[in-house]
Every structure is written in C-alpha cells, then in structure tokens.
Amino acid sequence: DSTLNSAFDKRTLPARLSLSDGERGCSASHAAIWRMLAAMPLDAPPVVVLEDDVVLSDGFARSCAHIALAASSRHAPEDRLMLCYLGADVAEWRDRAPKLRTAAVADGEMVALCEAKYLWQTSSYLIWPAAARFLVGDMPIDAPVDCFLSRHVLQGRLTALVAQPQLAWQAKPYQDGDVLHTNLFKSRV
C-alpha cells in the first residue's frame, strides 16, 4: 500500500502494489544483515550497511567511527533504536529535533546528525543491535525497504539520524539500476 509514501512523494500513486523482484531482493539483503546483527549482544557496535552503488566521501571511515561513538554515547544499548543515515533523501525533517554535532570531519567540515521524520534511500546507514532486533521482530518487510524503515521512523518506533553534510550517496538513484521501483509513475507501463 503506497498511500503513506504518496503523502511525501508526488511521483507516487496511492495504490496497492506488488513488490518487484528487485525490491524483494534488496529487502532480503537488508533483512539478512539485520538478522545477523540482531543475534549480537546489545552492546555490540553498530554495523555499517552499504549498497553496491554507494559512493563514499573522503574521510568516510573516520567520520563513521566518530558518529558511531557520538550516537552510542547518548543512549543505553537497549535504547539504541536508531539508524544513522550517512546519505539519504529527506522528505521531511522532525520539527524542533536537536542536532547532535560530532567531531567527525568530512571534507573539512563538522558533521551534524539531524533527525528526519520521513526519508528514502538505504544506500548507506549505521544500525545498532537494538534497532536490528526491533526490525527482525516486525518482519515481514511489506514495502520497499526504505519505505518500510520510514514508516517506523514516522510512527516514532525508530529514530533516523541523517549526517549533514552527507558522507555517502547513491551513485544514480532511480537511474540505470536493475531495481524496478513499483511506486513511481515512470515505472508503471
């Protein structure tokens, strides 16, 4: 059901659709990582998830380490129901959400972590064991994986922090890929 997504993306039709094979495969890949992380102790460090078409900024690894430390230090392991998007398309920011500034440097700039209300893209994110356990417990994935995650963010069940400036990005989102996006006008023929 793309009704929720259509409220944020004007290219989306509110309709009941079947996931494409590519969307199912992408979702299954993310779910496999979540299952692996969910089996780890809650105090384990977050895992960086990178899709195959991601482009990384200079200093990416150093910045990720700083972000993981900064975000982890503010929450007990069982309360780390969050993902930190290193790159994302943000549809709407959470009102009056505080920014967390980190010591991470990306191209000579400080990185701020800003809270999103609804977003797309899963090319690059940090995920903690508590968030992975929550997601595994809420399967099956019944939407494209980015929309599945954003629904939980919108409902306040997960927190989505987004690195600003972005530390990674999808090479050509929605172009030249082999994943048919069922919820976009141009994908329907």
Side-chain angles (χ1 to χ4, degrees), residues 87-114:
D89 288 340
V90 178
E92 193 170 321
W93 296 99
R94 183 86 53 201
D95 289 339
R96 294 180 291 280
K99 288 183 181 178
L100 171 62
R101 295 211 172 269
T102 75
V105 177
D107 298 328
E109 297 182 44
M110 295 292 285
V111 174
L113 298 178
C114 305

PDB file of all heavy atoms in Angstrom, residues 87-114:
ATOM      1  N   GLY A  87      23.844   8.876   4.090  1.00  0.00           N
ATOM      2  CA  GLY A  87      23.331   9.531   2.905  1.00  0.00           C
ATOM      3  C   GLY A  87      21.862   9.155   2.774  1.00  0.00           C
ATOM      4  O   GLY A  87      21.504   8.016   3.054  1.00  0.00           O
ATOM      5  N   ALA A  88      21.018  10.101   2.417  1.00  0.00           N
ATOM      6  CA  ALA A  88      19.584   9.828   2.286  1.00  0.00           C
ATOM      7  C   ALA A  88      18.914  11.001   1.587  1.00  0.00           C
ATOM      8  O   ALA A  88      19.457  12.101   1.554  1.00  0.00           O
ATOM      9  CB  ALA A  88      18.941   9.621   3.652  1.00  0.00           C
ATOM     10  N   ASP A  89      17.749  10.734   1.044  1.00  0.00           N
ATOM     11  CA  ASP A  89      16.874  11.789   0.538  1.00  0.00           C
ATOM     12  C   ASP A  89      15.841  12.032   1.627  1.00  0.00           C
ATOM     13  O   ASP A  89      15.016  11.160   1.896  1.00  0.00           O
ATOM     14  CB  ASP A  89      16.161  11.356  -0.745  1.00  0.00           C
ATOM     15  CG  ASP A  89      17.091  11.281  -1.946  1.00  0.00           C
ATOM     16  OD1 ASP A  89      18.167  11.909  -1.901  1.00  0.00           O
ATOM     17  OD2 ASP A  89      16.748  10.595  -2.915  1.00  0.00           O
ATOM     18  N   VAL A  90      15.885  13.196   2.253  1.00  0.00           N
ATOM     19  CA  VAL A  90      14.968  13.501   3.355  1.00  0.00           C
ATOM     20  C   VAL A  90      13.744  14.214   2.792  1.00  0.00           C
ATOM     21  O   VAL A  90      13.852  15.260   2.166  1.00  0.00           O
ATOM     22  CB  VAL A  90      15.655  14.361   4.436  1.00  0.00           C
ATOM     23  CG1 VAL A  90      14.678  14.722   5.545  1.00  0.00           C
ATOM     24  CG2 VAL A  90      16.872  13.626   4.997  1.00  0.00           C
ATOM     25  N   ALA A  91      12.571  13.624   3.022  1.00  0.00           N
ATOM     26  CA  ALA A  91      11.314  14.226   2.592  1.00  0.00           C
ATOM     27  C   ALA A  91      10.866  15.280   3.591  1.00  0.00           C
ATOM     28  O   ALA A  91      10.322  16.318   3.215  1.00  0.00           O
ATOM     29  CB  ALA A  91      10.238  13.162   2.445  1.00  0.00           C
ATOM     30  N   GLU A  92      11.089  14.997   4.880  1.00  0.00           N
ATOM     31  CA  GLU A  92      10.665  15.926   5.920  1.00  0.00           C
ATOM     32  C   GLU A  92      11.529  15.719   7.165  1.00  0.00           C
ATOM     33  O   GLU A  92      11.789  14.588   7.562  1.00  0.00           O
ATOM     34  CB  GLU A  92       9.190  15.691   6.257  1.00  0.00           C
ATOM     35  CG  GLU A  92       8.568  16.784   7.087  1.00  0.00           C
ATOM     36  CD  GLU A  92       7.053  16.634   7.195  1.00  0.00           C
ATOM     37  OE1 GLU A  92       6.398  16.261   6.204  1.00  0.00           O
ATOM     38  OE2 GLU A  92       6.537  16.905   8.295  1.00  0.00           O
ATOM     39  N   TRP A  93      11.947  16.838   7.758  1.00  0.00           N
ATOM     40  CA  TRP A  93      12.736  16.796   8.989  1.00  0.00           C
ATOM     41  C   TRP A  93      11.804  16.791  10.193  1.00  0.00           C
ATOM     42  O   TRP A  93      10.705  17.339  10.150  1.00  0.00           O
ATOM     43  CB  TRP A  93      13.687  17.996   9.082  1.00  0.00           C
ATOM     44  CG  TRP A  93      14.719  17.995   8.003  1.00  0.00           C
ATOM     45  CD1 TRP A  93      14.690  18.706   6.832  1.00  0.00           C
ATOM     46  CD2 TRP A  93      15.913  17.225   7.961  1.00  0.00           C
ATOM     47  NE1 TRP A  93      15.792  18.425   6.081  1.00  0.00           N
ATOM     48  CE2 TRP A  93      16.561  17.520   6.747  1.00  0.00           C
ATOM     49  CE3 TRP A  93      16.500  16.303   8.830  1.00  0.00           C
ATOM     50  CZ2 TRP A  93      17.779  16.934   6.386  1.00  0.00           C
ATOM     51  CZ3 TRP A  93      17.709  15.725   8.467  1.00  0.00           C
ATOM     52  CH2 TRP A  93      18.338  16.038   7.270  1.00  0.00           C
ATOM     53  N   ARG A  94      12.237  16.194  11.281  1.00  0.00           N
ATOM     54  CA  ARG A  94      11.470  16.183  12.523  1.00  0.00           C
ATOM     55  C   ARG A  94      11.508  17.602  13.088  1.00  0.00           C
ATOM     56  O   ARG A  94      12.575  18.197  13.209  1.00  0.00           O
ATOM     57  CB  ARG A  94      12.095  15.174  13.488  1.00  0.00           C
ATOM     58  CG  ARG A  94      11.424  14.977  14.778  1.00  0.00           C
ATOM     59  CD  ARG A  94      10.301  13.997  14.843  1.00  0.00           C
ATOM     60  NE  ARG A  94      10.534  12.657  14.359  1.00  0.00           N
ATOM     61  CZ  ARG A  94       9.527  11.861  14.007  1.00  0.00           C
ATOM     62  NH1 ARG A  94       8.284  12.259  14.090  1.00  0.00           N
ATOM     63  NH2 ARG A  94       9.768  10.644  13.567  1.00  0.00           N
ATOM     64  N   ASP A  95      10.348  18.158  13.423  1.00  0.00           N
ATOM     65  CA  ASP A  95      10.270  19.520  13.972  1.00  0.00           C
ATOM     66  C   ASP A  95      11.015  19.623  15.296  1.00  0.00           C
ATOM     67  O   ASP A  95      10.902  18.758  16.155  1.00  0.00           O
ATOM     68  CB  ASP A  95       8.806  19.930  14.203  1.00  0.00           C
ATOM     69  CG  ASP A  95       8.067  20.157  12.905  1.00  0.00           C
ATOM     70  OD1 ASP A  95       8.718  20.403  11.870  1.00  0.00           O
ATOM     71  OD2 ASP A  95       6.826  20.074  12.918  1.00  0.00           O
ATOM     72  N   ARG A  96      11.757  20.676  15.435  1.00  0.00           N
ATOM     73  CA  ARG A  96      12.468  21.032  16.676  1.00  0.00           C
ATOM     74  C   ARG A  96      13.351  19.911  17.232  1.00  0.00           C
ATOM     75  O   ARG A  96      13.618  19.855  18.417  1.00  0.00           O
ATOM     76  CB  ARG A  96      11.479  21.501  17.731  1.00  0.00           C
ATOM     77  CG  ARG A  96      10.779  22.803  17.353  1.00  0.00           C
ATOM     78  CD  ARG A  96       9.811  23.263  18.410  1.00  0.00           C
ATOM     79  NE  ARG A  96       8.637  22.419  18.533  1.00  0.00           N
ATOM     80  CZ  ARG A  96       7.578  22.452  17.731  1.00  0.00           C
ATOM     81  NH1 ARG A  96       7.546  23.278  16.729  1.00  0.00           N
ATOM     82  NH2 ARG A  96       6.552  21.662  17.938  1.00  0.00           N
ATOM     83  N   ALA A  97      13.782  19.014  16.382  1.00  0.00           N
ATOM     84  CA  ALA A  97      14.684  17.950  16.843  1.00  0.00           C
ATOM     85  C   ALA A  97      16.075  18.561  17.030  1.00  0.00           C
ATOM     86  O   ALA A  97      16.541  19.324  16.186  1.00  0.00           O
ATOM     87  CB  ALA A  97      14.745  16.821  15.837  1.00  0.00           C
ATOM     88  N   PRO A  98      16.713  18.264  18.150  1.00  0.00           N
ATOM     89  CA  PRO A  98      18.050  18.818  18.358  1.00  0.00           C
ATOM     90  C   PRO A  98      19.046  18.192  17.387  1.00  0.00           C
ATOM     91  O   PRO A  98      18.899  17.047  16.966  1.00  0.00           O
ATOM     92  CB  PRO A  98      18.380  18.418  19.797  1.00  0.00           C
ATOM     93  CG  PRO A  98      17.537  17.217  20.053  1.00  0.00           C
ATOM     94  CD  PRO A  98      16.305  17.380  19.223  1.00  0.00           C
ATOM     95  N   LYS A  99      20.060  18.976  17.041  1.00  0.00           N
ATOM     96  CA  LYS A  99      21.138  18.459  16.211  1.00  0.00           C
ATOM     97  C   LYS A  99      22.251  17.988  17.132  1.00  0.00           C
ATOM     98  O   LYS A  99      22.557  18.622  18.140  1.00  0.00           O
ATOM     99  CB  LYS A  99      21.693  19.556  15.296  1.00  0.00           C
ATOM    100  CG  LYS A  99      20.760  19.942  14.186  1.00  0.00           C
ATOM    101  CD  LYS A  99      21.409  20.973  13.294  1.00  0.00           C
ATOM    102  CE  LYS A  99      20.466  21.376  12.183  1.00  0.00           C
ATOM    103  NZ  LYS A  99      21.044  22.410  11.338  1.00  0.00           N
ATOM    104  N   LEU A 100      22.837  16.869  16.790  1.00  0.00           N
ATOM    105  CA  LEU A 100      23.974  16.350  17.528  1.00  0.00           C
ATOM    106  C   LEU A 100      25.200  16.606  16.671  1.00  0.00           C
ATOM    107  O   LEU A 100      25.321  16.069  15.574  1.00  0.00           O
ATOM    108  CB  LEU A 100      23.796  14.847  17.785  1.00  0.00           C
ATOM    109  CG  LEU A 100      24.981  14.088  18.359  1.00  0.00           C
ATOM    110  CD1 LEU A 100      25.361  14.631  19.725  1.00  0.00           C
ATOM    111  CD2 LEU A 100      24.652  12.617  18.458  1.00  0.00           C
ATOM    112  N   ARG A 101      26.091  17.459  17.136  1.00  0.00           N
ATOM    113  CA  ARG A 101      27.319  17.734  16.388  1.00  0.00           C
ATOM    114  C   ARG A 101      28.385  16.752  16.847  1.00  0.00           C
ATOM    115  O   ARG A 101      28.489  16.444  18.020  1.00  0.00           O
ATOM    116  CB  ARG A 101      27.790  19.167  16.627  1.00  0.00           C
ATOM    117  CG  ARG A 101      26.815  20.175  16.088  1.00  0.00           C
ATOM    118  CD  ARG A 101      27.529  21.426  15.633  1.00  0.00           C
ATOM    119  NE  ARG A 101      26.616  22.303  14.950  1.00  0.00           N
ATOM    120  CZ  ARG A 101      26.402  22.289  13.649  1.00  0.00           C
ATOM    121  NH1 ARG A 101      27.020  21.442  12.885  1.00  0.00           N
ATOM    122  NH2 ARG A 101      25.560  23.124  13.090  1.00  0.00           N
ATOM    123  N   THR A 102      29.145  16.271  15.911  1.00  0.00           N
ATOM    124  CA  THR A 102      30.187  15.307  16.244  1.00  0.00           C
ATOM    125  C   THR A 102      31.546  15.877  15.881  1.00  0.00           C
ATOM    126  O   THR A 102      31.656  16.891  15.198  1.00  0.00           O
ATOM    127  CB  THR A 102      29.987  13.982  15.490  1.00  0.00           C
ATOM    128  OG1 THR A 102      30.372  14.171  14.133  1.00  0.00           O
ATOM    129  CG2 THR A 102      28.557  13.489  15.569  1.00  0.00           C
ATOM    130  N   ALA A 103      32.564  15.205  16.318  1.00  0.00           N
ATOM    131  CA  ALA A 103      33.926  15.606  15.992  1.00  0.00           C
ATOM    132  C   ALA A 103      34.343  15.062  14.629  1.00  0.00           C
ATOM    133  O   ALA A 103      35.474  15.236  14.213  1.00  0.00           O
ATOM    134  CB  ALA A 103      34.883  15.110  17.065  1.00  0.00           C
ATOM    135  N   ALA A 104      33.434  14.401  13.958  1.00  0.00           N
ATOM    136  CA  ALA A 104      33.766  13.830  12.655  1.00  0.00           C
ATOM    137  C   ALA A 104      33.992  14.947  11.651  1.00  0.00           C
ATOM    138  O   ALA A 104      33.309  15.955  11.661  1.00  0.00           O
ATOM    139  CB  ALA A 104      32.628  12.931  12.187  1.00  0.00           C
ATOM    140  N   VAL A 105      34.963  14.763  10.816  1.00  0.00           N
ATOM    141  CA  VAL A 105      35.268  15.766   9.807  1.00  0.00           C
ATOM    142  C   VAL A 105      35.065  15.147   8.436  1.00  0.00           C
ATOM    143  O   VAL A 105      35.593  14.087   8.137  1.00  0.00           O
ATOM    144  CB  VAL A 105      36.719  16.275   9.946  1.00  0.00           C
ATOM    145  CG1 VAL A 105      37.050  17.253   8.847  1.00  0.00           C
ATOM    146  CG2 VAL A 105      36.928  16.904  11.312  1.00  0.00           C
ATOM    147  N   ALA A 106      34.261  15.804   7.624  1.00  0.00           N
ATOM    148  CA  ALA A 106      34.051  15.379   6.247  1.00  0.00           C
ATOM    149  C   ALA A 106      34.426  16.552   5.354  1.00  0.00           C
ATOM    150  O   ALA A 106      33.785  17.591   5.409  1.00  0.00           O
ATOM    151  CB  ALA A 106      32.599  14.983   6.019  1.00  0.00           C
ATOM    152  N   ASP A 107      35.461  16.403   4.580  1.00  0.00           N
ATOM    153  CA  ASP A 107      35.928  17.469   3.688  1.00  0.00           C
ATOM    154  C   ASP A 107      36.123  18.789   4.438  1.00  0.00           C
ATOM    155  O   ASP A 107      35.720  19.843   3.980  1.00  0.00           O
ATOM    156  CB  ASP A 107      34.949  17.661   2.525  1.00  0.00           C
ATOM    157  CG  ASP A 107      34.837  16.421   1.662  1.00  0.00           C
ATOM    158  OD1 ASP A 107      35.843  15.699   1.531  1.00  0.00           O
ATOM    159  OD2 ASP A 107      33.742  16.174   1.132  1.00  0.00           O
ATOM    160  N   GLY A 108      36.691  18.717   5.639  1.00  0.00           N
ATOM    161  CA  GLY A 108      36.991  19.910   6.412  1.00  0.00           C
ATOM    162  C   GLY A 108      35.834  20.480   7.197  1.00  0.00           C
ATOM    163  O   GLY A 108      35.956  21.548   7.784  1.00  0.00           O
ATOM    164  N   GLU A 109      34.694  19.813   7.234  1.00  0.00           N
ATOM    165  CA  GLU A 109      33.524  20.319   7.942  1.00  0.00           C
ATOM    166  C   GLU A 109      33.138  19.400   9.092  1.00  0.00           C
ATOM    167  O   GLU A 109      33.389  18.211   9.054  1.00  0.00           O
ATOM    168  CB  GLU A 109      32.317  20.395   6.996  1.00  0.00           C
ATOM    169  CG  GLU A 109      32.474  21.333   5.842  1.00  0.00           C
ATOM    170  CD  GLU A 109      31.213  21.382   4.996  1.00  0.00           C
ATOM    171  OE1 GLU A 109      30.116  21.448   5.571  1.00  0.00           O
ATOM    172  OE2 GLU A 109      31.337  21.357   3.773  1.00  0.00           O
ATOM    173  N   MET A 110      32.522  20.000  10.097  1.00  0.00           N
ATOM    174  CA  MET A 110      31.925  19.198  11.161  1.00  0.00           C
ATOM    175  C   MET A 110      30.695  18.503  10.587  1.00  0.00           C
ATOM    176  O   MET A 110      30.066  19.000   9.671  1.00  0.00           O
ATOM    177  CB  MET A 110      31.490  20.083  12.329  1.00  0.00           C
ATOM    178  CG  MET A 110      32.621  20.774  13.056  1.00  0.00           C
ATOM    179  SD  MET A 110      33.647  19.620  13.954  1.00  0.00           S
ATOM    180  CE  MET A 110      32.603  19.234  15.321  1.00  0.00           C
ATOM    181  N   VAL A 111      30.372  17.359  11.149  1.00  0.00           N
ATOM    182  CA  VAL A 111      29.181  16.637  10.727  1.00  0.00           C
ATOM    183  C   VAL A 111      28.115  16.799  11.799  1.00  0.00           C
ATOM    184  O   VAL A 111      28.384  16.608  12.980  1.00  0.00           O
ATOM    185  CB  VAL A 111      29.489  15.134  10.510  1.00  0.00           C
ATOM    186  CG1 VAL A 111      28.218  14.361  10.215  1.00  0.00           C
ATOM    187  CG2 VAL A 111      30.492  14.964   9.387  1.00  0.00           C
ATOM    188  N   ALA A 112      26.920  17.179  11.399  1.00  0.00           N
ATOM    189  CA  ALA A 112      25.783  17.257  12.307  1.00  0.00           C
ATOM    190  C   ALA A 112      24.881  16.070  12.019  1.00  0.00           C
ATOM    191  O   ALA A 112      24.761  15.627  10.872  1.00  0.00           O
ATOM    192  CB  ALA A 112      25.023  18.563  12.100  1.00  0.00           C
ATOM    193  N   LEU A 113      24.273  15.546  13.058  1.00  0.00           N
ATOM    194  CA  LEU A 113      23.282  14.484  12.896  1.00  0.00           C
ATOM    195  C   LEU A 113      21.917  15.108  13.154  1.00  0.00           C
ATOM    196  O   LEU A 113      21.634  15.552  14.260  1.00  0.00           O
ATOM    197  CB  LEU A 113      23.546  13.340  13.880  1.00  0.00           C
ATOM    198  CG  LEU A 113      24.896  12.636  13.714  1.00  0.00           C
ATOM    199  CD1 LEU A 113      25.053  11.551  14.770  1.00  0.00           C
ATOM    200  CD2 LEU A 113      25.041  12.068  12.318  1.00  0.00           C
ATOM    201  N   CYS A 114      21.100  15.154  12.123  1.00  0.00           N
ATOM    202  CA  CYS A 114      19.780  15.770  12.200  1.00  0.00           C
ATOM    203  C   CYS A 114      18.724  14.682  12.116  1.00  0.00           C
ATOM    204  O   CYS A 114      18.884  13.706  11.385  1.00  0.00           O
ATOM    205  CB  CYS A 114      19.601  16.762  11.056  1.00  0.00           C
ATOM    206  SG  CYS A 114      20.901  18.015  10.985  1.00  0.00           S
TER     207      CYS A 114
END
